[in-house]
Amino acid sequence: MIDHSRRTFLKTSTVAAAGFTLFRSLAREEVFCADAPSGASAKIVPFPLTSVRLAPGIFKEQSEINARYLDSLSVDRLLHSFRVTAGISSSATPYKGWEDPTCELRGHFAGGHFLSAVALASATSGNDVLKRKGDELVSGLALCQKKNASGYLSAYPTDLFEHLVQGIPVWAPFYTYHKIMAGLLDIYVLAGNSDALQIAEGMARWVGDYFTGISAEQRQRMLRTEYGGMNEVLVNLAALAKKNRYIEIAHLFEQPGFLDPLAERRDELQGLHANTHVPKIIGAARMYEVTGDRRYRQIAEYFLEEVLTARNYVIGNTSLDEHWKTPPGQLKGTLGWTNAECCVAYNLMKLERLVFGWAADARWMDEYERSLFNCRLGTQNADGMKQYFFPLAAGYWRAYHSPEESFWCCTGTGVEEFAKFTDTIFFHKGGEVFVNQFIASTLDWKEEGLLIDQVTQFPSEQGTTLKIKTSRPIARTIHVRIPVWTTDAVQVNINGRALEAVADPGSYLAMRRVWQDGDTVSISLPMELRQEALPGDESVAAVVYGPLVLAADLGPGPADGPSKMIHSGETVPKNLPVADQLPKVSVASGIGPDQWVQTLSKSELRFKVDGESAKYELMPMFQIRDQRYAVYWQTGNPNKRS
Ligand SMILES: [Zn+2]
């Protein structure tokens, strides 16, 4: 989340009115994952969240920790600033940090991320306690909106939006407005709260009125201030309410100065704030899905490809000090504490699963897996607290927010992420099933009378097993991702018999047959060591095992105290020491990690490196808890040491 004193300024030009088509009749949840544009062939879409359940394993454990944190929060306290703003008395103790009654972002979590998270938790795990909390919050918000009369709903007065009009510095009023609208749509779609849709429509009407009388030039100046996914949420609302008016309002949030270079495949991202801009591309992706305008698709595909190849770190996330600070492909010298804001990973993954739906390209699910295992899993502690930055310089550690005094943007996207691990495991295209992620879970496709148990301890286990349950023989194609990191030794057995041919790594294996009850598909996914250089610096590399980034354990870090737990809205611990030098290994170029990394245990995922001046134990980054760690290594020619 960018601080208002460090806003990014973009080139501006006038917005072009784009045409759009009528909405197809879709189920609520389908609208969100978006059907194909009108007239196109069937799209690959996720199953409804209620059809997939996590089975015991690391993901279920993490989602339960997250749910307990959500349940610890009080609806009255969350509503406090909304009520005060609407002139309704509140005796509740407000939360602090970015929810403090003086913070210009208040309401982003309280009325936004929290609603999304409880809606997700309710749909993915049947958590009725959280659903009731969400409904209670919606009722409270409805009263506040009614009191405001104009459709406006926020935890701060409209003054902050006036500041935007007048060019007075202000943090990000529309960013917060987006979170609230998104939370309302989530609880409508995922938990059936139809009042929430009405409230969101009122909010959208207020936005339309707000821009009346504001010139295109002035509007473009105002859009230099971070506005989250306003375009996305308005497109989603248009599709759900089947009202084109909201598409027109969504177009008001487009910035040709940002989108045009991307449409022409030019990377002009240097200097931009990462988490301000990824949501704009998610909005463009949704605009393609709803209107069918392929220019938006080209923008989204180019942007995603460029960020992932030229600007990403090995963990599957991007940015330094929240920005893209270098030319493409040049990340040399960018390792620090303030790498890879967690929200950015959340948003990139959201974009990846949308783009995946257009052509089922395995690449996007490989990238999704990389982020999921390396920079989402592991960023929550045992109490449900989340990280903000993801330090990538050597010698740093994970730091978390406190339960009631921080409420960062990354707290918000974190509680959503950890409530929705089931949303990308299985997709379908008509009657065909896609198994995208290897997570212990059950798909219960009631309409088709088909149940698939995915039984796995992945990544401790190098593979997964699908057990089919069906009341009758059923002809279906099941596609399984053969990840790009596996080897040619991958094997697939159906009922114990090996398939003669298996798809190449980095693609999907299609298995078409008449499935019988009790059929079992076992897929071995051998992992091997490889190294990935830091873009722009061949001498700096990370070690990866299968999908897992390995980190060197550098000894105990702060287990408690202000360096570990941040009791405020600050996002970096105070008095941070200078980072260590990267650990050094003496290897000549062209020498693979199997020559310098020793595997101690495949099931425990433990490795060892004899460095130049020390020996290191390595483990998957997601298993690093309180230790100081190093992800990158300084490699060098052993005959030519510096
Ligand atoms: Zn954030």
Side-chain angles (χ1 to χ4, degrees):
M1 182 73 215
I2 191 172
D3 186 272
H4 61 279
S5 62
R6 292 189 287 149
R7 280 175 299 159
T8 301
F9 292 89
L10 301 175
K11 291 187 292 182
T12 60
S13 59
T14 51
V15 68
F20 50 90
T21 51
L22 292 174
F23 306 111
R24 299 174 68 190
S25 181
L26 302 170
R28 283 180 199 169
E29 202 169 330
E30 222 181 343
V31 169
F32 262 33
C33 32
D35 204 9
S38 303
S41 59
K43 181 177 175 292
I44 305 113
V45 294
F47 283 92
L49 291 179
T50 49
S51 301
V52 186
R53 287 283 181 265
L54 291 175
I58 46 178
F59 287 93
K60 187 158 198 251
E61 182 189 298
Q62 291 297 312
S63 72
E64 288 171 351
I65 291 171
N66 184 53
R68 283 196 290 277
Y69 173 54
L70 290 169
D71 195 29
S72 76
L73 299 173
S74 143
V75 171
D76 276 333
R77 294 181 69 182
L78 293 168
L79 278 169
H80 175 82
S81 288
F82 286 93
R83 285 175 169 156
V84 170
T85 299
I88 298 170
S89 69
S90 168
S91 58
T93 306
Y95 288 116
K96 295 192 171 139
W98 295 12
E99 284 299 333
D100 188 274
T102 61
C103 180
E104 288 187 344
L105 276 198
R106 62 191 183 272
H108 75 111
F109 182 95
H113 291 296
F114 181 84
L115 271 188
S116 291
V118 295
L120 287 161
S122 134
T124 56
S125 67
N127 190 324
D128 288 336
V129 173
L130 290 182
K131 180 183 181 315
R132 279 196 297 278
K133 280 199 158 184
D135 288 340
E136 201 186 321
L137 186 59
V138 171
S139 303
L141 292 174
L143 289 176
C144 294
Q145 187 186 43
K146 205 169 165 191
K147 201 85 193 296
N148 293 335
S150 57
Y152 180 75
L153 176 64
S154 180
Y156 44 75
T158 51
D159 303 20
L160 296 196
F161 287 92
E162 279 309 304
H163 290 178
L164 208 52
V165 175
Q166 293 162 18
I168 298 169
V170 59
W171 197 339
F174 273 118
Y175 171 91
T176 304
Y177 208 81
H178 157 241
K179 303 305 173 209
I180 300 165
M181 287 188 71
L184 290 163
L185 292 194
D186 281 340
I187 200 158
Y188 164 65
V189 170
L190 302 172
N193 187 318
S194 49
D195 291 346
L197 179 67
Q198 301 305 316
I199 302 171
E201 287 207 66
M203 291 181 74
R205 282 193 298 275
W206 181 86
V207 176
D209 294 344
Y210 171 83
F211 279 118
T212 306
I214 288 176
S215 69
E217 195 184 355
Q218 186 182 7
R219 179 164 40 78
Q220 288 299 326
R221 273 200 305 276
M222 291 158 64
L223 294 182
R224 293 169 185 167
T225 299
E226 185 173 7
Y227 55 84
M230 278 305 296
N231 55 343
E232 181 211 354
V233 77
L234 285 160
V235 173
N236 288 340
L237 180 62
L240 286 165
K242 300 186 173 54
K243 290 178 184 167
N244 288 336
R245 170 67 183 138
Y246 303 136
I247 292 274
E248 293 167 16
I249 304 173
H251 282 305
L252 296 176
F253 286 91
E254 285 179 5
Q255 296 164 284
F258 171 55
L259 297 179
D260 289 353
L262 296 170
E264 292 157 16
R265 302 183 65 80
R266 290 202 314 276
D267 180 341
E268 296 185 3
L269 301 175
Q270 186 173 353
L272 297 187
H273 180 257
N275 201 47
T276 293
H277 288 84
V278 185
K280 297 175 185 179
I281 303 296
I282 296 171
R286 290 291 292 127
M287 193 65 92
Y288 159 66
E289 295 189 331
V290 172
T291 68
D293 184 340
R294 290 187 70 86
R295 183 171 180 272
Y296 291 107
R297 173 172 174 165
Q298 288 157 4
I299 288 169
E301 287 176 332
Y302 169 71
F303 172 87
L304 192 53
E305 161 139 19
E306 181 64 11
V307 170
L308 297 187
T309 55
R311 298 186 171 280
N312 247 22
Y313 298 102
V314 67
I315 56 169
N317 198 2
T318 180
S319 74
L320 171 67
D321 297 338
E322 307 189 10
H323 288 71
W324 292 301
K325 299 183 103 166
T326 55
Q330 296 296 330
L331 297 184
K332 185 174 183 173
T334 65
L335 303 179
W337 178 281
T338 55
N339 289 125
E341 180 191 350
C342 286
C343 283
V344 182
Y346 163 92
N347 279 312
L348 284 174
M349 290 164 75
K350 199 166 165 180
L351 185 57
E352 283 158 4
R353 69 196 286 278
L354 281 175
V355 174
F356 170 76
W358 301 340
D361 186 337
R363 172 182 179 186
W364 308 122
M365 281 298 130
D366 286 331
E367 294 291 349
Y368 190 96
E369 177 186 61
R370 177 193 291 265
S371 301
L372 182 65
F373 278 91
N374 299 303
C375 67
R376 304 312 283 130
L377 207 56
T379 60
Q380 169 178 264
N381 74 6
D383 298 319
M385 307 298 105
K386 312 294 191 293
Q387 276 179 247
Y388 189 100
F389 288 115
F390 196 123
L392 288 171
Y396 287 144
W397 56 89
R398 299 183 186 276
Y400 306 94
H401 62 75
S402 63
E404 300 185 356
E405 298 159 307
S406 306
F407 293 103
W408 305 321
C409 48
C410 298
T411 315
T413 50
V415 293
E416 291 186 36
E417 191 86 74
F418 283 72
K420 69 179 192 70
F421 288 134
T422 55
D423 75 346
T424 307
I425 305 171
F426 301 100
F427 273 40
H428 73 101
K429 178 183 182 182
E432 301 177 27
V433 178
F434 287 74
V435 182
N436 301 320
Q437 299 298 333
F438 311 119
I439 295 176
S441 55
T442 299
L443 164 67
D444 187 0
W445 199 0
K446 289 198 172 64
E447 297 83 353
E448 299 283 329
L450 177 68
L451 189 145
I452 300 177
D453 263 335
Q454 182 172 187
V455 181
T456 183
Q457 298 290 319
F458 186 87
S460 299
E461 173 191 349
Q462 301 192 2
T464 192
T465 299
L466 306 175
K467 295 184 173 175
I468 311 295
K469 292 178 187 162
T470 177
S471 53
R472 61 190 160 84
I474 180 169
R476 283 286 175 269
T477 303
I478 298 178
H479 304 259
V480 177
R481 181 171 61 95
I482 305 298
V484 71
W485 46 257
T486 196
T487 71
D488 292 341
V490 58
Q491 265 207 348
V492 178
N493 287 284
I494 300 180
N495 300 331
R497 288 176 53 183
L499 292 188
E500 284 179 15
V502 177
D504 290 334
S507 66
Y508 275 78
L509 166 69
M511 293 174 288
R512 177 159 184 80
R513 61 186 263 131
V514 178
W515 298 96
Q516 313 276 346
D517 187 49
D519 280 350
T520 299
V521 183
S522 58
I523 303 132
S524 76
L525 300 168
M527 297 179 190
E528 62 182 1
L529 290 162
R530 63 183 195 282
Q531 67 192 57
E532 292 187 13
L534 182 71
D537 190 352
E538 287 295 320
S539 75
V540 170
V543 182
V544 185
Y545 184 64
L548 305 171
V549 173
L550 302 183
D553 180 348
L554 300 182
D560 204 353
S563 298
K564 184 73 179 171
M565 183 69 70
I566 303 178
H567 295 271
S568 71
E570 298 292 313
T571 54
V572 178
K574 288 188 171 56
N575 305 319
L576 204 61
V578 175
D580 293 354
Q581 295 283 318
L582 295 181
K584 284 188 183 175
V585 284
S586 301
V587 287
S589 61
I591 299 296
D594 49 335
Q595 301 291 308
W596 58 277
V597 182
Q598 191 186 335
T599 303
L600 300 178
S601 166
K602 285 186 175 182
S603 59
E604 300 288 317
L605 297 163
R606 288 295 180 270
F607 306 82
K608 201 178 110 185
V609 166
D610 288 342
E612 268 194 13
S613 54
K615 295 183 192 313
Y616 300 94
E617 183 171 309
L618 278 65
M619 63 180 74
M621 183 64 222
F622 81 83
Q623 292 181 351
I624 293 279
R625 291 281 174 250
D626 298 326
Q627 307 96 307
R628 299 185 308 117
Y629 61 83
V631 164
Y632 283 99
W633 301 79
Q634 185 71 55
T635 65
N637 188 325
N639 301 320
K640 215 179 144 187
R641 292 180 196 176
S642 54

